[in-house]
Amino acid sequence: MRIALAQINPVVGDLLGNADRIHAALAATEVNGKVSADLLVTPELSLWGYPPRDLLFSAAHLEQQQQALDQLQQRLHAEQLDVALLVGVAEVAPDQQHPRLFNALALVQARGWQVVARKQLLPSYDVFDETRYFRASSSPSTLSLRVNNRDWQLGLSICEDLWVDEELHGQRLVGPDPIASLIPERLDALINCSASPFSRRKGTLRHELAARAAERLQCPVVYVNQVGGNDELIFDGASFVIAPGDDTPLLQLPEFAVSTEVWTAASSTDRLEQPSRAHQQANTPDDDLEALFRGLVTGVKDYATKCGFKAALLGLSGGIDSALVAVIAAAALGPDHVQSLLMPSPWSSSGSIADALALATRLGIASQIVPIQTLMEGFEATLTPALNAEPSGITAENLQSRIRGTLLMAMANQQGQLLLSTGNKSELAVGYCTLYGDMNGGLAVIGDLYKSTVFALCHWLDSPDAGACRAELGLGGSGPLIGQAILEKPPSAELRPDQKDSDSLPDYERLDPLLMDLIEQRMSGEQLIGAGHDPDDVKRIERLFRRAEFKRRQAPPLLKVSKQAFGSGWRLPIAAI
Amino acid sequence: MRIALAQINPVVGDLLGNADRIHAALAATEVNGKVSADLLVTPELSLWGYPPRDLLFSAAHLEQQQQALDQLQQRLHAEQLDVALLVGVAEVAPDQQHPRLFNALALVQARGWQVVARKQLLPSYDVFDETRYFRASSSPSTLSLRVNNRDWQLGLSICEDLWVDEELHGQRLVGPDPIASLIPERLDALINCSASPFSRRKGTLRHELAARAAERLQCPVVYVNQVGGNDELIFDGASFVIAPGDDTPLLQLPEFAVSTEVWTAASSTDRLEQPSRAHQQANTPDDDLEALFRGLVTGVKDYATKCGFKAALLGLSGGIDSALVAVIAAAALGPDHVQSLLMPSPWSSSGSIADALALATRLGIASQIVPIQTLMEGFEATLTPALNAEPSGITAENLQSRIRGTLLMAMANQQGQLLLSTGNKSELAVGYCTLYGDMNGGLAVIGDLYKSTVFALCHWLDSPDAGACRAELGLGGSGPLIGQAILEKPPSAELRPDQKDSDSLPDYERLDPLLMDLIEQRMSGEQLIGAGHDPDDVKRIERLFRRAEFKRRQAPPLLKVSKQAFGSGWRLPIAAI
């Protein structure tokens, strides 16, 4: 039988639009004007877009879901299509107990639609809140489909249901093993409908988990993942089919692109005699930094598009963080739709201004210079009588940052642009950033990248390895994009004369590994020292880290690319010890 | 037996400090230098403070929990106390599956401590994320304690375990009925350790739920609730003992105050012959508005104190919102620790300035005037070349708000004050507020009060009904506090000449009921029209409401006082339909 993997990019809450996207995926399977699939598989909650969050409580949306399913069915009927669609839905339980929903799959055919599977393992870790909305099912789901005069036995699973391997995943949810209960079923294939967010190096893990399940079930696993950005989450797609005993997927869909591919399954009884699986070349970028870059581009593009913005604005300082964000924005929206603002103060080095302008020219984005000295003096004059003193120290530094943040918001407001925030994860961790100043923006593009990753990504962008990717994304020319001047400049906020980040923080080579252990591993002070970090650094950084929680709470949504990002998967109290 | 209800105010994450607070509650039971309780009952997770959120993932905190329990035990041993403490703890499961913890109760005695109960119903609705951290237990917990040569049979339950009455609570979690399973146990009393956040009129519901359980179990219910503010959540305490068939609690502890009271239980066998329960007068304020006011005062006081602030700053506009926040701040921190800033623009009415100054004088808080016209002109001059036009419309209005927000932050930064944000729920709902402007602050004091509630609370403050409360909180004088001028002024942001809120929004008498149905009831547009709201209002407000999600995402923590506040219990996507 022919199974189509429909890797769609849904808009969250747009149930009727997402039904159209599913229908379009079906059309994409056409060969000579004829749909060439017996079953089309879509991602988890594909009618809603993942994660729908509290929209799942909306009566209006639940009603639209019914309409969307009815319409899909009617279209199959009208087009006389003998195909079944597996669609991700929220099923309402008949009783009134809480939570009221199942995370489910509906089978839509020309003659009707019905729920055929319910999710068993509901993640409530990190960014996931599924127990807020869903009840867990306790029974495995199978689907028998008659195709070519044969009954095909399919196992149905939803995302986490496949993540049962503690060894591989590092954790395992308390609950049943949905794969184990399917072993006696002698399946022809296991379907997994997913909405699995991108994080670095996660693709391999998914392959391994699916291969393990294929091995246990002795049948291929068809893994269909959502693609596209939804607020802080980026979905890479990269759907695939993997068979038992194979390291390489039988079929691999691209990362970060809408795509539908058809895979022809052999039944389990004649599998051994059918070695006709054409190994399709994976067009997944092998390079981790390339995947990271493409992920961030997708995140910006989809956040802007889905919010209705055509253009973006950012402050360009001449430093490496804003340089990287400018490149990402140009790739996401096109250089013509990106504007940069240079806002020098008396403490800005002339090099910074020149470097920023040169970068804008290389990228082909607009740039304007708006000096802030007059406004700095204006605030000083206004505040001094009220304070009985001049604003000084951190207050004066924050003022510069807030003047810039206010200028950026005014430009973005008047011009209808999305303001992109340019802070990185290291800064956000230690509070080396100004609330209502440089943190301003609708989206924190690199808020989940440590400073050292920012450097690595920028070095990659300027290396020959990035050539093909840059060409594809319209970041033309083979010369350097970021450029040596920006790459080699010592990090500085330039908020006072001759300031360097290293005046107040350990060098990033020392800071970032410490932060990774603190954040990603949630190590205690004792454990950090045990892991070899400098005890003075540990004490100082732990203190800064905890005191910055109030800033992180008010930060814009940030694109998650690591296992542990600040954002909705990071929930610490503020008034706490 | 003598059961002490220890209504403590823990600091989140301060395990050793909270153990001290529990020990202090024990000392508070002393009569003639002797502890007069056989069992001391503390709130849910009393060692941690509720909600500990992701601190529960911290290895350091889990280690401190062991220390805290050991120290408590050693103190009982050293002081030769024959008393048992029921302490809220997070118990680590021996396996590695996720989640790893139980929300549990430990019994601490001089000879040792052990876990004696685990929570069965884990809320994952609204602000609650318990399934993120905890596994549900499936077995009910009882405790047999030998006191006065008699075995006392106690049922143990934790917060939600009591909320099993769909009719009363309006919802019921899928899962066991923890009360039903205790019916055969012939209990002498049911203990419920809670951390139940304040919301308006919730006290009555708790009494009803406990009375229902008392009836079903035919024994008294001892309900011990946390008190104090932790970030956005305010806990009112108001612990009590209620007996079957009684409408009035046998014992009622105060709202919003640390308190320990001892109740003497009769065993179930001689209960009927012991009618000696002295009905204690409830000192709970009957008045809903008084409770609301005291709740907000507690929220501000504890947020400031637990974050290490002694003083607060706010912008005073002459309008009713900032007037109310000034009163709350003065009551919470003392007028000497509150500073107000008046930041008039050319569009401010002279009345507003006079009204604000008069209020500051009545309250006894410091006030300073910092005009913003020069800065407005400075931004205009700086931006016009870059925009090729003067900043206008919303851009110009936002600029004024952001100048004020920046001035406030500079004052607060240099003086080490907590900036209080003064926006209300109606504004936050429709986006009638400026991100990085008037939304600035560490805490949004009245962010969960509709404008009409702000009016109601201010009218109450100026009425004779508030006299005793005002006297107690040091808001001296019997004359008006808010004053007619502020109470009767039509709401206006004064961001352009003669602006009124009613120019861009329906009157609050029409807007607020619509917002309540939209937010609290999550009604769809169709349902809102069906409920009698004006169709044009519905269309306009729904649109404004959805477009403001990005502002709410970056809002400061706001004190929750309603069933559905914006904040951690409100989780909507931004890039969505």
Side-chain angles (χ1 to χ4, degrees):
Chain A
M1 74 179 283
R2 300 160 306 168
I3 301 180
L5 289 73
Q7 178 171 303
I8 65 165
N9 182 354
V11 172
V12 172
D14 183 19
L15 291 132
L16 298 172
N18 294 335
D20 286 342
R21 289 174 187 102
I22 291 168
H23 190 264
L26 191 60
T29 70
E30 285 180 7
V31 177
N32 302 326
K34 216 168 159 304
V35 163
S36 71
D38 304 303
L39 176 69
L40 180 109
V41 181
T42 68
E44 178 179 22
L45 286 169
S46 53
L47 270 189
W48 290 79
Y50 197 95
R53 299 166 61 94
D54 284 5
L55 289 181
L56 288 165
F57 296 138
S58 152
H61 284 80
L62 284 165
E63 258 173 51
Q64 272 171 25
Q65 175 175 251
Q66 298 290 320
Q67 276 179 46
L69 286 165
D70 290 344
Q71 284 183 12
L72 271 177
Q73 180 223 319
Q74 285 152 15
R75 287 166 88 163
L76 297 186
H77 184 77
E79 295 163 20
Q80 298 187 299
L81 289 177
D82 185 20
V83 61
L85 316 178
L86 213 44
V87 174
V89 298
E91 181 197 10
V92 184
D95 66 66
Q96 291 287 325
Q97 298 198 358
H98 183 85
R100 278 193 74 198
L101 303 173
F102 287 100
N103 184 338
L105 298 176
L107 190 75
V108 184
Q109 292 170 296
R111 63 174 177 274
W113 61 264
Q114 60 179 315
V115 168
V116 290
R118 293 165 170 175
K119 192 169 182 176
Q120 295 181 257
L121 294 178
L122 300 174
S124 60
Y125 53 82
D126 190 26
V127 298
F128 301 107
D129 276 327
E130 293 204 9
T131 51
R132 178 175 171 90
Y133 312 104
F134 300 115
R135 307 183 186 178
S137 163
S138 54
S139 44
S141 303
T142 57
L143 173 66
S144 188
L145 262 193
R146 188 142 191 100
V147 174
N148 299 337
N149 297 317
R150 180 199 283 279
D151 287 316
W152 296 76
Q153 190 69 0
L154 304 174
L156 302 179
S157 62
I158 304 178
C159 206
E160 190 84 19
D161 289 345
L162 190 69
W163 295 66
V164 291
D165 212 301
E166 216 169 324
E167 268 174 60
L168 289 173
H169 180 27
Q171 73 174 20
R172 151 126 168 69
L173 291 190
V174 169
D177 176 346
I179 305 303
S181 55
L182 289 169
I183 293 174
E185 303 285 342
R186 290 187 51 82
L187 302 175
D188 293 305
L190 174 74
I191 308 285
N192 185 272
C193 299
S194 277
S196 173
F198 169 74
S199 69
R200 295 178 70 186
R201 303 181 195 85
K202 196 171 178 184
T204 313
L205 176 57
R206 291 195 204 117
H207 283 172
E208 287 169 352
L209 283 163
R212 194 72 68 103
E215 206 55 50
R216 292 173 73 194
L217 295 168
Q218 280 300 301
C219 73
V221 172
V222 177
Y223 181 94
V224 179
N225 191 22
Q226 176 175 292
V227 73
N230 287 329
D231 287 1
E232 64 183 347
L233 297 185
I234 304 161
F235 297 85
D236 49 336
S239 307
F240 60 85
V241 181
I242 209 161
D246 254 343
D247 285 342
T248 320
L250 300 180
L251 178 71
Q252 176 70 54
L253 273 65
E255 280 187 322
F256 307 116
V258 170
S259 171
T260 302
E261 297 276 351
V262 178
W263 171 70
T264 303
S267 86
S268 63
T269 46
D270 40 39
R271 225 176 340 177
L272 295 174
E273 297 86 50
Q274 284 208 349
S276 62
R277 318 155 186 164
H279 269 272
Q280 184 150 341
Q281 194 56 258
N283 52 356
T284 310
D286 279 337
D287 190 292
D288 171 50
L289 290 170
E290 177 169 348
L292 177 59
F293 184 71
R294 285 181 185 266
L296 294 169
V297 170
T298 300
V300 170
K301 183 180 179 171
D302 279 7
Y303 186 80
T305 311
K306 293 177 181 180
C307 284
F309 288 104
K310 289 208 176 61
L313 176 75
L314 77 160
L316 211 56
S317 70
I320 197 163
D321 295 317
S322 57
L324 177 56
V325 174
V327 174
I328 294 166
L333 305 173
D336 291 351
H337 298 105
V338 180
Q339 186 184 4
S340 64
L341 211 58
L342 283 68
M343 295 166 289
S345 80
W347 320 134
S348 302
S349 60
S350 59
S352 288
I353 302 165
D355 297 342
L357 286 174
L359 174 78
T361 305
R362 283 196 296 277
L363 274 175
I365 63 175
S367 61
Q368 272 170 299
I369 303 185
V370 180
I372 66 166
Q373 180 162 12
T374 317
L375 286 168
M376 286 166 66
E377 288 162 3
F379 273 102
E380 199 178 294
T382 302
L383 280 163
T384 300
L387 285 169
N388 278 323
E390 284 185 10
S392 61
I394 298 282
T395 306
E397 296 186 18
N398 282 342
L399 263 174
Q400 295 167 53
S401 184
R402 292 194 178 114
I403 289 168
R404 292 191 176 111
T406 298
L407 289 169
L408 285 166
M409 284 303 293
M411 296 286 291
N413 280 170
Q414 186 128 334
Q415 302 180 140
Q417 295 155 320
L418 169 64
L419 176 61
L420 299 174
S421 165
T422 59
N424 64 55
K425 189 174 191 174
S426 306
E427 291 172 355
L428 207 50
V430 295
Y432 201 71
C433 49
T434 300
L435 199 53
Y436 322 131
D438 57 283
M439 290 176 68
N440 284 8
L443 187 70
V445 179
I446 55 169
D448 196 26
L449 266 59
Y450 293 103
K451 186 80 174 188
S452 38
T453 311
V454 172
F455 273 106
L457 201 49
C458 287
H459 277 282
W460 172 80
L461 273 169
D462 274 9
S463 77
D465 294 345
C469 176
R470 272 175 52 181
E472 188 190 325
L473 294 173
L475 299 168
S478 58
L481 205 56
I482 305 289
Q484 284 306 101
I486 292 175
L487 282 174
E488 288 173 1
K489 182 182 300 185
S492 165
E494 297 195 335
L495 294 171
R496 54 173 190 268
D498 298 322
Q499 184 182 28
K500 300 266 175 304
D501 289 11
S502 53
D503 301 342
S504 13
L505 295 174
D507 286 338
Y508 287 106
E509 295 74 36
R510 239 162 66 212
L511 178 62
D512 283 352
L514 197 167
L515 289 175
M516 284 176 211
D517 283 347
L518 184 63
I519 298 165
E520 253 83 346
Q521 311 298 329
R522 299 202 189 241
M523 280 192 190
S524 67
E526 219 169 288
Q527 291 170 320
L528 287 167
I529 293 168
H533 298 288
D534 177 79
D536 288 338
D537 284 356
V538 168
K539 204 172 154 188
R540 186 157 141 237
I541 298 306
E542 264 205 312
R543 189 169 161 274
L544 290 174
F545 180 70
R546 291 164 78 158
R547 290 172 57 99
E549 201 54 51
F550 77 99
K551 295 189 186 180
R552 291 189 283 269
R553 187 71 69 91
Q554 294 188 45
L558 54 82
L559 295 178
K560 174 181 160 79
V561 294
S562 75
K563 268 191 79 168
Q564 180 65 68
F566 303 128
S568 75
W570 182 261
R571 304 180 189 173
L572 278 172
I574 296 173
I577 287 175
Chain B
M1 73 179 287
R2 301 160 306 170
I3 300 179
L5 288 73
Q7 177 172 302
I8 65 166
N9 182 354
V11 172
V12 172
D14 184 18
L15 291 133
L16 299 171
N18 294 335
D20 286 343
R21 290 176 186 101
I22 293 168
H23 190 264
L26 191 62
T29 71
E30 285 181 6
V31 177
N32 301 326
K34 219 170 155 304
V35 162
S36 70
D38 304 302
L39 175 69
L40 180 110
V41 181
T42 68
E44 178 179 22
L45 286 169
S46 54
L47 271 189
W48 291 80
Y50 196 95
R53 299 168 59 95
D54 284 5
L55 289 181
L56 287 165
F57 296 138
S58 151
H61 284 81
L62 284 165
E63 256 173 52
Q64 273 172 24
Q65 175 175 252
Q66 297 291 319
Q67 275 179 46
L69 286 164
D70 289 344
Q71 284 182 12
L72 271 176
Q73 180 223 320
Q74 283 151 17
R75 287 166 89 164
L76 297 186
H77 184 78
E79 295 163 20
Q80 297 186 302
L81 289 177
D82 185 21
V83 62
L85 316 178
L86 213 44
V87 174
V89 298
E91 181 198 8
V92 184
D95 66 67
Q96 292 287 326
Q97 298 197 357
H98 183 85
R100 277 194 73 199
L101 303 173
F102 288 100
N103 184 338
L105 298 176
L107 191 76
V108 184
Q109 293 170 296
R111 63 173 176 275
W113 62 263
Q114 58 179 316
V115 168
V116 290
R118 293 165 170 176
K119 192 169 182 177
Q120 296 181 256
L121 294 178
L122 300 174
S124 60
Y125 54 82
D126 190 27
V127 298
F128 301 107
D129 277 327
E130 294 203 7
T131 51
R132 180 176 171 89
Y133 312 104
F134 300 115
R135 305 181 188 181
S137 163
S138 53
S139 44
S141 303
T142 57
L143 174 67
S144 187
L145 262 192
R146 188 144 190 96
V147 173
N148 298 337
N149 297 318
R150 178 199 284 278
D151 287 316
W152 296 75
Q153 191 69 1
L154 303 174
L156 302 179
S157 61
I158 304 177
C159 206
E160 190 85 19
D161 289 344
L162 190 69
W163 294 67
V164 291
D165 212 302
E166 215 170 322
E167 269 174 61
L168 289 173
H169 180 27
Q171 72 175 21
R172 152 128 167 69
L173 290 191
V174 170
D177 176 347
I179 304 303
S181 55
L182 290 169
I183 294 174
E185 302 286 341
R186 291 186 51 81
L187 301 175
D188 293 305
L190 174 74
I191 308 285
N192 184 273
C193 299
S194 278
S196 173
F198 169 74
S199 68
R200 295 178 72 186
R201 304 180 194 87
K202 195 171 178 185
T204 312
L205 176 57
R206 291 195 204 117
H207 284 171
E208 287 168 353
L209 283 162
R212 193 73 67 103
E215 206 55 49
R216 293 174 73 194
L217 295 167
Q218 281 299 300
C219 74
V221 172
V222 177
Y223 181 94
V224 179
N225 191 22
Q226 176 175 292
V227 73
N230 287 329
D231 287 0
E232 64 183 348
L233 298 184
I234 305 161
F235 297 85
D236 49 335
S239 307
F240 59 86
V241 182
I242 209 160
D246 255 343
D247 286 341
T248 321
L250 301 178
L251 179 71
Q252 175 68 54
L253 273 66
E255 279 187 323
F256 307 115
V258 170
S259 170
T260 302
E261 296 277 351
V262 178
W263 171 70
T264 303
S267 85
S268 64
T269 47
D270 40 39
R271 228 179 338 184
L272 295 174
E273 298 85 50
Q274 283 210 351
S276 63
R277 318 156 185 162
H279 270 274
Q280 185 150 340
Q281 195 54 258
N283 51 357
T284 310
D286 280 337
D287 190 292
D288 171 50
L289 290 170
E290 177 168 347
L292 178 59
F293 183 71
R294 287 180 184 265
L296 294 169
V297 170
T298 299
V300 170
K301 183 179 178 172
D302 278 8
Y303 186 80
T305 311
K306 292 176 182 181
C307 284
F309 288 104
K310 287 208 176 61
L313 175 75
L314 77 160
L316 211 57
S317 69
I320 197 162
D321 296 317
S322 56
L324 177 57
V325 174
V327 174
I328 294 166
L333 306 173
D336 291 350
H337 298 107
V338 180
Q339 186 184 4
S340 64
L341 212 58
L342 284 68
M343 295 166 289
S345 81
W347 321 133
S348 302
S349 60
S350 60
S352 287
I353 301 165
D355 297 342
L357 285 175
L359 175 78
T361 305
R362 285 195 295 278
L363 274 176
I365 65 174
S367 61
Q368 271 170 301
I369 304 186
V370 180
I372 66 165
Q373 181 163 11
T374 316
L375 287 168
M376 286 166 66
E377 289 161 3
F379 272 103
E380 200 179 292
T382 302
L383 280 163
T384 301
L387 284 170
N388 278 323
E390 285 186 9
S392 62
I394 299 282
T395 306
E397 296 186 17
N398 281 342
L399 263 174
Q400 295 168 53
S401 185
R402 292 195 177 113
I403 289 168
R404 292 190 176 111
T406 298
L407 290 168
L408 286 166
M409 284 303 294
M411 296 286 291
N413 280 169
Q414 185 128 335
Q415 302 180 139
Q417 295 156 321
L418 169 64
L419 175 61
L420 299 175
S421 164
T422 60
N424 64 56
K425 190 175 191 172
S426 306
E427 291 171 354
L428 207 50
V430 294
Y432 201 70
C433 50
T434 300
L435 199 53
Y436 323 132
D438 57 282
M439 290 177 68
N440 284 8
L443 188 69
V445 179
I446 56 169
D448 196 26
L449 267 59
Y450 293 103
K451 187 80 175 189
S452 39
T453 312
V454 172
F455 273 105
L457 200 50
C458 287
H459 277 283
W460 172 79
L461 274 169
D462 274 10
S463 77
D465 295 345
C469 175
R470 273 175 52 182
E472 188 190 324
L473 293 173
L475 300 168
S478 57
L481 205 55
I482 306 289
Q484 284 306 102
I486 292 175
L487 281 174
E488 288 172 3
K489 180 182 303 183
S492 166
E494 296 194 337
L495 293 172
R496 55 174 188 265
D498 298 322
Q499 184 183 28
K500 301 268 175 302
D501 289 11
S502 53
D503 301 341
S504 12
L505 295 174
D507 286 339
Y508 287 106
E509 294 75 37
R510 238 162 67 212
L511 177 62
D512 283 352
L514 197 167
L515 289 175
M516 283 176 212
D517 283 346
L518 185 63
I519 299 164
E520 253 83 348
Q521 311 298 329
R522 299 203 190 238
M523 281 191 190
S524 68
E526 217 170 290
Q527 291 170 321
L528 287 167
I529 293 168
H533 298 288
D534 177 78
D536 289 337
D537 283 357
V538 168
K539 204 171 153 189
R540 185 157 142 237
I541 297 307
E542 263 205 313
R543 188 168 162 274
L544 290 173
F545 180 71
R546 290 164 78 160
R547 288 173 57 98
E549 201 54 53
F550 77 99
K551 295 189 185 180
R552 291 189 284 269
R553 186 72 68 90
Q554 295 188 45
L558 53 82
L559 294 177
K560 175 180 159 77
V561 294
S562 75
K563 268 192 79 171
Q564 180 65 67
F566 302 129
S568 74
W570 182 261
R571 303 181 190 173
L572 278 173
I574 297 173
I577 287 177

